């Protein structure tokens, strides 16, 4: 009785070791088994043959597609054990079946594929039951199906008949699918048993359960079916097989496999499937799909039955993706979490290979995440994902650079510059990186000293004739030019402008075919009032790039500086035929039309801009229907009566609310919707490219004009004050991108300037009020209010408006000039002179300021200084464009 119990315990231990693939213990257990029961010699032969075969495969790992191994001395010994167990015939039927399965595997290893298939046919592999089968038996059956599929693939097709060939391909794939499903079931059951044993174990420490490893045959069964589906052109079934494996309950053994499959499926969804051909994981795949090869329709569509299947994740309210990018993103986020969890970060030499594999696996996941999130414009989320990748990124340029680019796209420019510095350290020979950093510094950050340093890095490295050398001088010239705009002293401005001019000349000499080098050289000459030379270079730029909007705009401004207003207007019209949604060109057109064609045409252009704005940004007012048209719609309804139309006064709430229906949302719901709805136009206008911090300006200065540090500061003050003021007004936009609303305010301010030009203060006031509803604390709105007050003869009120404008933007030259004239009229000459001299320091090319300074000095009896001021004003006025040259963006 005791011997029987000992034998039972021994058999249980043997079964456990076979299930957990602990082959090194089998030899010891076989000795104990042989010593206790003589009748188990055949069982011992079976166990020894299996253990030695598995150990041989562990010592000599297989690779997919490997050539037949042929007989080996160790395999000969293994065959003796198995042959002895089979020939004596003392084994029970189930053990005889196991011995045959092991022998078939042995035949495959030796290259005897036909013998292996005949064994599987003899033992009835397809009829083997999985219910109540021990764990090791599940593994043996899974490996048998995988081996059968491999044998079928190795053997040549016996017939050329197409239908037989299709059936053979189907049989091979079915073998692999069965092998994969049974393998998943086996691994789930092994982990369930191990978990139960750990929970039932006493608190005393015991031997730890080793992690299960995927054998060659199990891994082949899990991975080979979808490979054949894709090879046969059946993408639908391949994707379905991926999803079946991923829906199975996870085990520790399949974690790396699941991460690989999730990554591969995400890549297929992103690169091989469109939204129209997508079906979600809970739906049945379409019977006919454009994804599949039309010549192989109907292939690999058969199903098979198993008595037991692996457990899958089920439950209520489980998230199910509805389109391909959504599913790809879900898969990649799962893969990313697994890659981060299993990251190998140790720097010791022994872990080098594991660390490289871990890095490569994670890099592929992050590259696919970049594709998936980049398509949706989710750069904020992408930058957060790549920040988690920094644990892999020690001395790894690719991840650092991806992180920097994602920060740039997410608008985190300051941090992006810091990351780009690290990229420059990792790859100092790549000159595109400091160019990117310089672009960021000159853009929204306005770090001109940093931009200069990055540009000098490009200038100081590389071949003198290289293209990037020219780009470096171009960036350096832009940095100097923008520094000159910020300089408070005239001497410093002139010195920086000279440096900028030299840098642009060097860039043009290094790359004479680059239209940007010729364009920026022309722009810098124009800013320095060298009009004839600037005309020559801008014509060169147009010869190189005839449809460049900035070059065409600069040509028009240069012609207006030479007082050829009609020619300039023709150039603007030509540019607008190519760029009809370019608001900067339209603003200049309004100014030119006021001089050449009269205010009627200028107001029509303002109305046209409102229509373009509405269509570009897709912002509509729910109250627009049935409440009348907008202000300019009614003002220009009949051009013949334009000069006799009375504009509504916003002191009247009825007419005010009716006339402003286009420009401002009226309900809190619309406030929320409109702040999230603005869409970029199909051709991005310059306001979008310039960024939201460009200042609002009156009249000739559209939103792009100011990139000065002081103007940026003023713009931020305006924004903060406007938010406080608009919190008390439900009509002002409180959220969303600024540039659509800034553009709309500019349109109203330009219309107001036209009305001021024809002495219509009521109409101008109505337009200014529309802009004030958007930005109540804008210094440009306050300046225009002062203009209207002057037009009405209310000098004290105008003075107050100018002072308020200067309290927000102390360097607003127009407010300084108009305030000084009022002070001059009031006899406060010293203060007027002080303000004008400050204005000259800010903008030394404003001829109105020089003229006003001359008048103040003349009144004070300083005739010599006044004469110099008048001469300077005449010289500058002779070369002044219709709007400042600085409205043209100076960006890389």
């Amino acid at each position: 009785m005791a011997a029987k119990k000992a034998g039972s315990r021994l058999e249980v231990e043997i079964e456990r070791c076979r299930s957990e693939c602990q082959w090194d213990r089998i030899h010891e257990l076989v000795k104990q088994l042989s010593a206790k029961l003589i009748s188990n010699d055949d069982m011992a032969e079976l166990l020894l043959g299996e253990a030695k075969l598995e150990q041989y495969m562990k010592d000599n790992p297989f690779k997919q597609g490997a050539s037949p191994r042929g007989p080996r001395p160790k395999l000969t010994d293994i065959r003796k054990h198995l042959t002895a167990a089979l020939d004596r015939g003392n084994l029970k039927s189930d053990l005889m079946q196991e011995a045959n399965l092991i022998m078939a595997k042995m035949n495959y290893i030796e290259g005897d594929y036909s013998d292996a298939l005949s064994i599987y046919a003899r033992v009835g592999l397809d009829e083997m039951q999985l219910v109540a089968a021990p764990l090791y038996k599940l593994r043996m059956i899974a490996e048998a199906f995988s081996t059968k599929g491999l044998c079928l693939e190795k053997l040549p097709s016996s017939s050329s008949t197409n239908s037989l060939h299709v059936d053979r391909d189907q049989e091979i794939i079915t073998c692999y699918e069965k092998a994969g499903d049974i393998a998943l079931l086996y691994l789930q059951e092994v982990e369930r048993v191990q978990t139960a044993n750990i929970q039932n174990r006493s608190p005393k420490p015991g031997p730890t359960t080793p992690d299960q490893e995927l054998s060659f045959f199990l891994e082949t069964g899990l991975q080979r079916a979808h490979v054949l589906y894709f090879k046969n052109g059946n993408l639908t079934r391949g994707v379905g097989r991926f999803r079946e494996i991923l829906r199975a309950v996870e085990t520790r053994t399949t974690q790396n496999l699941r991460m690989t499959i999730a990554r591969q499926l995400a890549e297929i969804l992103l690169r091989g499937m469109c939204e129209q051909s997508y079906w979600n994981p809970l739906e049945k795949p379409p019977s006919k799909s454009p994804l599949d090869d039309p010549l192989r329709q109907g292939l690999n569509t058969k199903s098979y039955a198993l008595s037991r299947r692996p457990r899958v994740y089920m439950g209520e309210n489980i998230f199910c993706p509805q389109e391909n990018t959504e599913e790809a993103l879900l898969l990649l986020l799962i893969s990313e979490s697994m890659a981060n969890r299993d990251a190998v970060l140790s720097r010791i030499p022994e872990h080098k290979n594991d660390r490289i594999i871990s890095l490569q696996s994670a890099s592929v996941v992050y590259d696919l995440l970049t594709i998936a999130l980049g398509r949706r414009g989710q750069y904020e989320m992408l930058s957060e994902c790549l920040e988690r990748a920094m644990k892999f990124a020690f001395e790894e340029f690719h991840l650092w650079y991806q992180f920097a680019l994602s920060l740039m796209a997410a608008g985190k420019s300051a941090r992006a510059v810091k990351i780009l510095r690290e990229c420059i350290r990792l790859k100092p020979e790549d000159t595109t990186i400091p160019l990117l950093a310089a672009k960021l510094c000159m853009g929204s950050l306005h770090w001109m000293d940093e931009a200069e340093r990055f540009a000098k890095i490009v200038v100081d490295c590389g071949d003198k004739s290289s293209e990037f050398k020219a780009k470096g001088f171009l960036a350096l010239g832009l940095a100097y030019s923008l520094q000159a705009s910020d300089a408070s002293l005239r001497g410093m401005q002139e010195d920086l402008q000279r440096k900028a001019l030299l840098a642009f000349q060097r860039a043009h000499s290094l790359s004479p075919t680059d239209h940007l080098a010729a364009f920026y050289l022309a722009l810098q000459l124009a800013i320095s009032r060298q009009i004839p030379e600037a005309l020559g270079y801008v014509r060169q730029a147009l010869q190189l790039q005839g449809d460049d909007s900035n070059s065409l705009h600069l040509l028009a401004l240069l012609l207006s500086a030479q007082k050829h207003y009609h020619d300039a207007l023709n150039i603007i019209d030509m540019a607008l035929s190519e760029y009809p949604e370019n608001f900067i060109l339209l603003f200049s057109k309004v100014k030119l039309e006021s001089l050449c064609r009269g205010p009627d045409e200028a107001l029509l252009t303002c109305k046209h801009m409102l229509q373009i704005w509405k269509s570009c940004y897709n912002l509509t007012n729910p109250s627009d229907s049935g409440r009348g048209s907008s202000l300019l719609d009614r003002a220009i309804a009949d051009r013949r009566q334009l000069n006799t139309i009375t504009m509504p006064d916003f002191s009247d709430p009825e007419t005010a609310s009716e006339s402003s229906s286009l420009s401002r949302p009226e309900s809190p719901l619309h406030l929320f919707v409109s702040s999230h709805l603005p869409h970029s136009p199909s051709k991005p206008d310059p306001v979008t490219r310039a960024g939201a911090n460009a200042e609002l300006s009156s009249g000739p200065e559209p939103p792009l004009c100011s990139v000065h540090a002081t103007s940026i500061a003023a713009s931020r003050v305006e924004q903060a004050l406007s938010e406080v003021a608009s919190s008390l007004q439900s009509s002002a936009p409180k959220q969303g991108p600024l540039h659509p609303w800034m553009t709309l305010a500019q349109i109203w301010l330009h219309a107001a300037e036209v009305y001021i030009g024809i002495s219509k203060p009521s109409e101008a006031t109505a337009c200014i009020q529309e802009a004030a509803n958007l930005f109540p604390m804008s210094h440009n709105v306050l300046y225009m209010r002062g203009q209207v007050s002057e037009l009405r003869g209310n000098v004290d009120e105008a003075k107050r408006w100018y002072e308020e404008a200067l309290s927000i933007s102390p360097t607003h030259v127009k407010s300084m000039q108009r305030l000084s004239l009022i002070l001059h009229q009031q006899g406060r000459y010293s203060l007027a002179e002080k303000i004008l001299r400050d204005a000259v320091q800010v903008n030394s090319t404003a001829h109105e300021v020089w003229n006003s300074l001359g008048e103040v000095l003349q009144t004070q009896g300083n005739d010599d200084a006044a004469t110099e001021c008048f001469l300077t004003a005449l010289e500058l006025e002779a070369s002044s464009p219709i709007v400042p040259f600085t409205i043209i963006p100076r960006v890389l």
Side-chain angles (χ1 to χ4, degrees):
M1 186 72 179
K4 185 176 181 181
K5 287 183 178 179
S8 299
R9 286 196 299 268
L10 188 60
E11 289 174 1
V12 170
E13 182 66 14
I14 289 174
E15 182 177 324
R16 186 185 69 80
C17 290
R18 293 179 75 186
S19 299
E20 297 178 359
C21 300
Q22 299 183 38
W23 307 114
D24 52 343
R25 292 205 60 209
I26 292 293
H27 296 279
E28 180 184 348
L29 294 173
V30 165
K31 291 178 182 179
Q32 297 178 24
L33 183 67
S34 300
K36 292 183 179 299
L37 296 173
I38 301 298
S39 61
N40 279 334
D41 284 346
D42 291 343
M43 178 67 177
E45 295 286 358
L46 168 64
L47 294 175
L48 286 173
E50 181 183 26
K52 289 182 178 181
L53 179 62
E54 296 296 337
Q55 190 63 43
Y56 172 82
M57 292 186 62
K58 186 176 181 180
D59 296 337
N60 303 272
F62 258 45
K63 291 184 180 180
Q64 186 63 251
S67 59
R69 298 296 182 95
R72 296 286 188 274
K74 290 185 178 180
L75 294 177
T76 303
D77 182 50
I78 296 170
R79 183 175 288 276
K80 288 180 181 179
H81 287 295
L82 296 175
T83 302
L86 288 169
D87 288 348
R88 284 197 288 261
N90 295 327
L91 292 173
K92 296 179 181 178
S93 60
D94 55 340
L95 293 177
M96 184 70 71
Q97 199 176 56
E98 294 174 14
N100 277 296
L101 294 179
I102 299 170
M103 181 63 79
K105 187 197 298 187
M106 175 82 175
N107 287 334
Y108 171 79
I109 295 173
E110 290 185 337
D112 298 329
Y113 307 127
S114 299
D115 292 345
L117 289 175
S118 63
I119 292 174
Y120 289 137
R122 187 170 65 250
V123 300
L125 177 62
D126 293 328
E127 288 76 31
M128 286 187 179
Q129 292 299 312
L130 306 179
V131 179
L135 293 182
Y136 71 86
K137 186 70 172 289
L138 292 177
R139 178 183 56 80
M140 293 179 71
I141 296 174
E143 290 188 341
F145 275 114
S146 178
T147 307
K148 182 180 178 181
L150 288 168
C151 290
L152 289 171
E153 279 196 273
K154 295 285 186 181
L155 287 175
S157 179
S158 59
S159 174
S160 60
T161 305
N162 187 56
S163 61
L164 294 178
H165 181 67
V166 170
D167 291 341
R168 179 186 176 84
D169 288 348
Q170 179 60 52
E171 184 181 5
I172 293 172
I173 291 178
T174 301
C175 287
Y176 288 132
E177 288 191 329
K178 287 182 178 180
D181 288 345
I182 300 172
L184 290 172
L185 176 63
Y186 159 70
L187 294 171
Q188 289 174 355
E189 291 300 309
V190 168
E191 186 158 299
R192 182 182 62 80
V193 171
Q194 290 178 348
T195 303
N197 291 338
I198 292 173
Q199 292 174 350
N200 296 330
R201 186 179 297 164
S202 64
K204 296 181 180 180
T208 59
T209 304
D211 290 337
Q212 200 74 15
E213 293 183 2
L214 278 178
S215 67
F216 164 76
F217 296 103
L218 292 183
E219 189 171 359
T220 300
L222 287 167
Q223 293 193 354
R224 189 65 181 157
H226 56 258
V227 171
L228 293 180
Y229 277 131
F230 296 139
K231 182 180 178 181
N232 293 336
N234 197 330
L235 191 62
T236 302
R237 285 296 298 134
V239 170
R241 185 60 188 167
F242 270 143
R243 288 170 169 176
E244 290 171 6
I245 296 175
L246 291 172
R247 287 190 64 192
V249 174
E250 183 179 3
T251 63
R252 290 192 302 269
T253 309
T254 58
Q255 283 178 353
N256 291 333
L257 175 66
R258 288 171 67 86
M259 185 175 72
T260 301
I261 290 178
R263 188 181 67 226
Q264 291 173 345
L265 177 55
E267 189 168 358
I268 291 170
L269 292 169
L270 289 173
R271 298 181 178 179
M273 185 181 294
C274 63
E275 294 181 3
Q276 288 73 24
S277 58
Y278 177 81
W279 73 100
N280 73 54
L282 299 182
E283 294 177 347
K284 290 184 178 180
S287 56
K288 291 185 178 181
S289 172
L291 301 175
D292 300 334
D293 185 351
L295 300 178
R296 303 177 72 92
Q297 288 288 345
L299 180 64
N300 307 328
T301 57
K302 296 181 181 178
S303 60
Y304 58 90
L306 288 177
S307 56
R308 290 178 69 186
R309 285 189 175 272
R311 289 176 288 118
V312 297
Y313 290 109
M314 298 180 67
E316 297 181 358
N317 301 322
I318 291 179
F319 172 76
C320 180
Q322 298 300 315
E323 51 93 22
N324 57 333
T325 307
E326 196 173 71
E327 183 177 351
L329 182 58
L330 174 64
L331 292 167
L332 290 171
L333 290 175
I334 293 172
S335 300
E336 186 218 0
S337 66
M338 297 173 71
N340 276 283
R341 181 192 60 198
D342 301 331
V344 178
L345 306 178
S346 174
R347 308 299 298 181
I348 62 177
E350 291 80 359
H351 293 163
K352 181 179 179 181
N353 291 334
D354 292 337
R355 188 176 67 252
I356 292 174
I357 293 172
S358 176
L359 171 66
Q360 290 174 344
S361 177
S363 295
V364 172
V365 172
Y366 285 114
D367 287 345
L368 292 172
L369 270 173
T370 302
I371 295 172
L373 293 173
R375 285 182 179 178
R376 294 300 188 89
Q378 297 292 332
Y379 300 112
E380 180 82 20
M381 185 176 180
L382 176 60
S383 65
E384 293 173 0
C385 291
L386 287 169
E387 185 172 5
R388 294 193 290 270
M390 289 298 101
K391 65 166 66 176
F392 300 95
F394 180 74
E395 299 296 320
E396 294 295 335
F397 171 79
H398 177 69
L399 287 177
W400 280 98
Y401 196 45
Q402 291 286 84
F403 186 32
L405 294 177
S406 69
L407 290 171
M408 287 176 59
K412 302 175 182 179
S413 301
R415 197 171 180 200
V417 170
K418 294 180 180 179
I419 304 301
L420 286 173
R421 285 199 189 98
E422 179 67 12
C423 294
I424 294 171
R425 185 188 68 79
L426 293 173
K427 203 170 183 180
E429 71 278 2
D430 190 344
T431 53
T432 61
I433 305 171
L435 279 176
L436 275 177
K439 179 177 181 178
L440 286 177
C441 292
M442 283 186 281
S444 58
L445 295 175
H446 207 78
W447 294 351
M448 291 304 136
D449 293 338
E450 288 289 314
E452 180 185 348
R453 281 193 283 271
F454 284 123
K456 286 181 177 178
I457 292 175
V458 183
V459 168
D460 294 339
C461 70
D463 185 11
K464 292 184 179 180
S465 62
S466 69
E467 178 184 355
F468 291 109
K469 188 90 168 179
K471 293 291 185 184
F473 278 107
L474 193 61
L476 187 60
L478 287 171
Y480 285 140
S481 181
L482 293 171
Q483 284 176 336
S485 301
D486 293 342
S488 57
L489 298 177
R490 187 177 177 186
M492 187 179 296
Q493 288 179 358
E494 293 174 351
D495 181 57
L496 289 169
Q497 285 177 355
R498 280 193 299 270
K499 288 183 177 180
L501 194 59
L502 290 173
F504 288 136
Q505 288 172 343
R506 186 70 185 280
H508 183 58
S509 65
L510 287 173
S511 183
T513 59
D514 184 4
H515 78 282
L516 285 178
F519 163 73
Y520 280 116
L521 179 54
L523 179 58
Q524 189 59 41
L525 289 167
I527 292 172
S528 303
R529 291 299 191 270
Q530 302 179 45
I531 305 301
E533 294 85 351
L535 274 169
Y537 283 109
V538 78
R539 288 192 175 105
Q540 287 185 32
L542 286 170
Q543 287 175 355
L544 296 168
Q545 187 77 25
D547 60 349
D548 181 55
S549 61
N550 290 327
S551 297
L552 290 169
H553 197 184
L554 178 57
L555 177 59
L557 296 186
L558 289 169
L559 291 173
S560 71
Q562 293 183 330
K563 314 310 176 193
H564 302 316
Y565 297 123
H566 287 88
D567 294 337
L569 185 55
N570 291 335
I571 295 295
I572 292 290
D573 287 335
M574 183 174 63
L576 285 170
S577 66
E578 185 69 24
Y579 304 96
E581 297 168 357
N582 190 312
F583 285 103
I584 296 297
L585 291 171
L586 287 166
F587 290 144
S588 297
K589 181 179 179 181
V590 170
K591 190 70 174 179
L592 287 166
E593 282 184 331
S594 297
L595 291 174
C596 299
R597 299 173 184 171
D600 301 20
E601 295 289 338
L603 289 174
L604 280 173
T605 301
C606 290
K607 175 186 174 182
H608 179 59
M609 280 195 285
L610 287 175
Q611 294 169 344
I612 293 176
W613 182 89
K614 190 174 181 179
S615 63
C616 282
Y617 298 108
N618 197 24
L619 297 174
T620 57
N621 192 344
S623 64
D624 218 10
S625 58
R627 298 266 334 247
S629 57
S630 68
L631 182 63
L632 287 182
D633 284 335
R634 293 192 295 135
I636 314 174
D638 186 353
R639 291 179 59 192
R640 292 171 298 179
Q641 302 179 6
L642 180 66
N643 293 327
T644 62
I645 289 178
T646 301
M647 303 300 290
D649 190 349
F650 278 81
S651 60
D652 181 357
E654 294 183 3
T655 58
S657 61
E658 181 180 2
S659 63
S660 62
S661 61
L662 171 67
S663 64
R664 63 175 192 270
E666 295 182 356
S667 66
L669 175 61
H670 185 261
L671 270 176
F672 175 79
V673 174
S674 65
S675 66
H676 293 79
L677 276 184
H679 300 294
S680 299
S682 57
K683 291 183 181 179
D685 59 272
V687 178
T688 306
R689 295 194 301 265
N693 285 329
E695 67 169 345
L696 285 170
S697 61
S698 64
E701 298 180 16
L704 271 178
C705 69
S706 176
V707 288
H708 298 195
T710 52
S711 298
I712 290 175
S715 176
R716 291 171 180 166
V717 171
E718 286 177 18
Q719 181 183 351
L721 293 174
S722 294
E723 287 174 356
V724 173
S726 61
S727 65
L728 305 175
Q729 305 176 24
S730 63
S731 61
K734 298 180 176 64
Q735 302 178 36
L738 279 180
H739 63 81
W741 304 109
M742 294 173 67
T743 304
L744 180 60
Q746 272 300 300
I747 297 171
W748 288 115
L749 290 179
H750 277 72
E753 188 182 26
V754 175
Y755 280 122
I756 290 172
I758 58 176
S759 300
K760 284 190 170 289
S762 299
E763 290 81 348
T765 299
C767 294
I768 294 168
Q769 182 61 41
E770 288 287 347
N773 288 332
L774 300 170
F775 296 95
M777 292 294 117
S778 169
H779 68 276
N780 297 284
V781 171
L782 299 175
Y783 167 76
M784 293 299 291
R785 290 190 188 278
Q787 289 282 89
V788 172
S789 297
E790 279 197 82
L791 183 61
R792 287 174 169 164
N794 195 337
V795 177
D796 292 335
E797 183 180 281
K799 177 175 175 291
R800 180 171 58 83
W801 288 122
Y802 295 141
E803 288 173 345
E804 289 190 15
L806 289 171
S807 68
I808 294 174
S809 179
T811 59
H812 188 229
V813 174
K814 290 192 170 185
S815 295
M816 297 169 78
Q817 191 253 342
R818 300 307 303 178
L819 178 60
S820 67
L821 287 180
I822 294 175
L823 292 172
H824 183 208
Q825 294 171 10
Q826 294 176 347
R828 302 174 66 181
Y829 306 126
S830 298
L831 183 56
E833 181 184 351
K834 171 66 169 60
I835 292 174
L836 289 169
R837 290 189 181 276
D838 290 343
V840 166
Q841 290 293 329
V842 174
N843 185 3
S844 60
T845 60
H847 64 275
E848 301 97 338
V849 176
W850 284 103
N851 188 69
S852 299
L853 181 57
E855 292 176 355
V856 172
L857 291 173
Q858 187 180 29
T859 304
Q860 292 178 308
N862 193 346
D863 295 335
D864 293 338
T867 301
E868 291 183 7
C869 291
F870 288 138
L871 291 173
T872 303
L874 286 172
E875 181 182 351
L876 290 172
E877 195 277 335
S879 59
S880 293
I882 195 69
V883 292
F885 292 114
T886 51
I887 68 167
I888 298 178
R890 285 173 284 175
V891 293
L892 280 177

